[in-house]
Amino acid sequence: MHRTFAAMIASTLSIALLAALNDRPTHDEIMGWIDVETILLLFSMMILVGILTETGVFDHLAVYAYRVSKINF
């Protein structure tokens, strides 16, 4: 099972269980659980990796790492 799918199912079931127990969190509480800074950090890192992938930086670093590892052994 994919981790994202499992996380979505677990979160949906937990909210459904809280609703069944009549202890539902409010919308503001749910929004307070989300760490916006972490989401923005991950989003910006994904953008940077996408741009660097297109420029070939990771290919260059892989070749460089391979050359350095051959020299040391």
Side-chain angles (χ1 to χ4, degrees):
M1 179 179 288
H2 199 272
R3 290 182 185 180
T4 305
F5 182 68
M8 290 175 61
I9 294 296
S11 63
T12 303
L13 287 176
S14 63
I15 295 293
L17 180 65
L18 287 173
L21 295 174
N22 212 11
D23 191 22
R24 289 183 301 182
T26 64
H27 181 70
D28 293 331
E29 284 178 316
I30 294 173
M31 294 305 290
W33 295 339
I34 299 172
D35 190 10
V36 178
E37 288 85 10
T38 303
I39 291 176
L40 289 175
L41 173 69
L42 292 172
F43 183 71
S44 60
M45 287 175 64
M46 286 185 229
I47 290 174
L48 286 173
V49 167
I51 292 170
L52 290 175
T53 300
E54 290 181 10
T55 62
V57 169
F58 295 117
D59 295 330
H60 176 72
L61 289 174
V63 170
Y64 178 74
Y66 177 73
R67 286 183 183 162
V68 169
S69 69
K70 281 182 68 175
I71 292 171
N72 291 334
F73 291 110

